[in-house]
Amino acid sequence: MTLQEYDYARESPSKLAASCLLLALTMKNLGGWTPTLEYYSGYSAQDLHPLVKRLNFLLTYQPRDKLNAVHSKYSHRVFFEVAKVTPMDMLKLEEALTSC
């Protein structure tokens, strides 16, 4: 979804990928940002927090009226219907991020 948003073009691809991973881990309660992830990504959890919040906001308030090809594609069971996953409440996300 970030490919369709100019605001994310200035982010480095590695930081964007790491932030997406942290958001996914948080959404699915699969643990936080481990020292191993920090070592191999080069980013601490605190480095990723602002971008994780922006990504969750994008998921929460995504426009459905146009450019819905990505959402349609990832709503298919072949891609495990990841586009249908409910975004986190912003307050719960904030709490989860402060604990990791």
Side-chain angles (χ1 to χ4, degrees), residues 18-68:
S19 297
C20 289
L21 177 59
L22 179 56
L23 179 58
L25 290 170
T26 306
M27 289 173 77
K28 291 297 194 175
N29 293 320
L30 296 174
W33 201 245
T34 65
T36 303
L37 289 170
E38 183 174 341
Y39 176 80
Y40 284 107
S41 71
Y43 298 106
S44 70
Q46 288 74 25
D47 295 339
L48 303 175
H49 287 182
L51 188 51
V52 169
K53 292 176 192 174
R54 285 179 47 215
L55 288 168
N56 192 61
F57 185 83
L58 177 65
L59 290 174
T60 304
Y61 299 104
Q62 58 187 324
R64 300 269 186 200
D65 55 340
K66 57 183 179 176
L67 300 174
N68 61 1

